[in-house]
Amino acid sequence: MRNYAGTPISKDEVDKLLHAAMAAPAAVNMPPWKFIVVTDKTVLKKLADGLPFAKMLLAAGTGIVVCAAPEEAALGSKEFTLLDCACASENILLAAESFDLGAVWTAIYPNKEVMDFVRNELNIPQQVIPLNLIPVGHPVAQEKAKDKYQPKNIYWNKWA
Ligand SMILES: Cc1cc2nc3c(=O)[nH]c(=O)nc-3n(C[C@H](O)[C@H](O)[C@H](O)COP(=O)(O)O)c2cc1C
């Protein structure tokens, strides 16, 4: 969802989204995620101005920056960290849809310049990876679920 009505979601809704996020699977059950919830209009505007694909942030009213902290992940692995945090991000997107809210993954990682910009704006420590920014808000209209099923992407038993 990239078109928002302009009325921010409630704190209770944010809380539900974060509950869903933290219900995600994590390697060795060592969740390495941190979430920065941005609701301050000045900060939202700075992020919207500085990020290439997050212009809808002000209209959404809330942005959740999913951050990956490798030192808290299984084996201190950056790969596990990113996988775990992608799972948490998807949970936020699915939960938002289930609550009739709108949300979209906007990219931060792996663009180094964008990562540095977000780190700088939000005081994120250097070793922590800002993975994405998820604007969440009330959608202007409910979108129909798309059918993206493609049989060509499925193999049974072996690759071919
Ligand atoms: C790693 C990743 C990066 C993405 N980056 C952006 C982005 O920067 N801006 C954006 O509007 N959507 C972004 N998306 C959302 C995709 O564009 C979107 O999932 C795709 O167009 C399919 O649309 P759908 O999810 O509504 O089916 C990203 C999704 C992923 C998984």
Side-chain angles (χ1 to χ4, degrees):
M1 170 53 60
R2 298 182 181 87
N3 298 308
Y4 298 94
T7 47
I9 66 170
S10 68
K11 202 155 184 292
D12 184 52
E13 285 169 317
V14 171
D15 198 48
K16 284 189 194 160
L17 295 176
L18 295 176
H19 269 80
M22 291 185 231
V28 197
N29 201 17
M30 291 181 68
W33 43 62
K34 309 284 173 193
F35 304 93
I36 304 179
V37 182
V38 184
T39 54
D40 182 299
K41 284 206 169 84
T42 315
V43 184
L44 287 173
K45 177 149 182 12
K46 274 199 172 167
L47 291 173
D49 288 346
L51 292 169
F53 306 112
K55 304 301 169 208
M56 67 298 255
L57 198 50
L58 270 175
T62 301
I64 301 176
V65 180
V66 180
C67 295
E71 76 271 24
E72 295 191 21
L75 308 171
S77 153
K78 181 177 164 185
E79 285 84 356
F80 277 147
T81 311
L82 293 170
L83 293 167
D84 297 340
C85 290
C87 292
S89 303
E90 176 72 341
N91 274 16
I92 294 176
L93 299 177
L94 292 173
E97 179 69 23
S98 79
F99 302 140
D100 291 331
L101 302 175
V104 60
W105 178 313
T106 68
I108 299 177
Y109 176 87
N111 184 315
K112 197 182 168 319
E113 261 177 41
V114 177
M115 287 161 66
D116 284 343
F117 166 75
V118 174
R119 273 201 192 98
N120 195 39
E121 289 300 328
L122 303 180
N123 290 337
I124 299 171
Q126 193 58 36
Q127 72 277 14
V128 173
I129 303 162
L131 177 63
N132 59 37
L133 165 62
I134 304 182
V136 200
H138 293 111
V140 279
Q142 220 62 45
E143 277 177 8
K144 272 202 173 161
K146 298 170 217 161
D147 185 356
K148 296 164 71 174
Y149 180 87
Q150 290 189 295
K152 76 174 173 64
N153 294 332
I154 303 168
Y155 303 97
W156 285 75
N157 301 315
K158 282 189 180 181
W159 181 269

